């Protein structure tokens, strides 16, 4: 597998999904559950997000072709979307918005459904993550090895989310409020750079 593709895919998905950033939300959503129940929610949410993102990797490019959308256009639109998410991370808007979504979901949905919504989707496998996966699958250009590597990367990121959820309390205490804020801003800057690169690649493809 191309190491550059692997590293790019891993960094992009880790930043977009942001396992550490989801820990406080997971903790608040499952605060009233027993430890075994929290473990079940974490596992179920990770599996749901894994299936959604793997589906996007395998059929996302085909779906775009059926809709008559060129990959360069999707790269530009996807890059802009990821840049929007990155700006929310840098300015501290994303966590507030996701927390509000999570609180609203708890009021509307039964606790046993929390794993599917809002954890599985849209917090873990949200528009940003799905867009990133489709863009990365487009870079693979149908190469089975690269697509297999992308699915492996998705599995690694979901496993990172699962581990983060299972030891969430310890992570929150270790990083503290300041650590979480600094990490969120840093990841936002990295994601912004990746988003700009997606847009540049799309513009180059259009002009060529």
């Amino acid at each position: 597998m191309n190491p550059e593709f692997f590293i790019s895919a891993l960094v992009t998905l880790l930043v977009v999904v942001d396992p550490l950033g989801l820990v406080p939300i997971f903790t608040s959503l499952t605060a009233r559950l027993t430890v075994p129940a929290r473990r079940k929610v974490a596992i179920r949410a990770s599996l749901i997000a894994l299936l959604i993102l793997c589906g996007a990797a395998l059929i996302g490019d085909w779906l775009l072709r059926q809709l008559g959308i060129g990959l360069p256009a999707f790269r530009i639109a996807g890059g802009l979307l990821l840049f929007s998410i990155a700006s929310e991370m840098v300015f501290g808007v994303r966590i507030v918005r996701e927390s509000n979504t999570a609180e609203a979901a708890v009021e509307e949905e039964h606790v046993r459904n929390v794993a599917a919504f809002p954890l599985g989707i849209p917090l873990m496998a949200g528009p940003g993550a799905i867009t990133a996966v489709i863009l990365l699958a487009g870079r693979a250009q149908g190469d089975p090895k690269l697509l297999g590597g992308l699915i492996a990367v998705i599995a690694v990121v979901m496993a990172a989310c699962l581990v983060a959820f299972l030891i969430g309390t310890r992570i929150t205490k270790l990083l503290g409020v300041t650590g979480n804020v600094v990490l969120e801003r840093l990841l936002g800057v990295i994601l912004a750079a990746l988003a700009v690169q997606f847009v540049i690649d799309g513009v180059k493809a259009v002009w060529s």
Side-chain angles (χ1 to χ4, degrees), residues 1-11 75 136 138-141 143-153:
M1 181 181 174
N2 186 344
E4 183 180 346
F5 177 83
F6 178 83
I7 294 172
S8 174
L10 183 62
V11 171
R75 281 177 178 168
L136 291 166
R139 280 187 180 180
Q141 297 179 339
D143 188 328
K145 292 183 179 179
L146 293 181
L147 283 176
L150 176 57
I151 291 174
V153 168

Side-chain angles (χ1 to χ4, degrees), residues 12-57:
T12 300
L13 288 181
L14 279 175
V15 171
V16 173
V17 177
D18 190 12
L20 293 179
L22 292 175
V23 169
I25 298 174
F26 173 82
T27 303
S28 64
L29 284 175
T30 59
R32 292 173 293 190
L33 300 181
T34 62
V35 174
R38 294 178 69 176
R39 188 180 299 113
K40 287 181 180 178
V41 169
I43 294 173
R44 186 181 178 193
S46 300
L47 288 175
I48 290 172
L50 175 64
L51 291 175
I52 292 172
L53 294 181
C54 285

Side-chain angles (χ1 to χ4, degrees), residues 3 19 23 31 69 88 99 103 106 108 116-117 129 137 151 156 181 187 196:
V23 169
I69 301 174
E88 289 184 350
S99 296
E103 290 173 4
V106 170
E108 298 173 3
F117 178 83
I151 291 174
V156 168
V181 170
L187 292 177
V196 171

Side-chain angles (χ1 to χ4, degrees), residues 86-171:
S87 66
E88 289 184 350
M89 294 173 69
V90 172
F91 294 109
V93 177
R94 187 186 186 196
I95 291 296
V96 175
R97 176 173 54 79
E98 290 183 343
S99 296
N100 291 338
T101 300
E103 290 173 4
V106 170
E107 294 176 0
E108 298 173 3
E109 300 288 332
H110 194 272
V111 174
R112 62 186 175 86
N113 295 325
V114 166
F117 178 83
L119 276 178
I121 186 171
L123 296 182
M124 294 173 70
I130 293 173
T131 299
V133 166
I134 293 177
L135 290 173
L136 291 166
R139 280 187 180 180
Q141 297 179 339
D143 188 328
K145 292 183 179 179
L146 293 181
L147 283 176
L150 176 57
I151 291 174
V153 168
I154 294 171
V156 168
V157 173
M158 292 303 104
C161 287
L162 177 58
V163 172
F165 291 159
L166 294 179
I167 59 174
T169 304
R170 298 176 188 174
I171 293 177

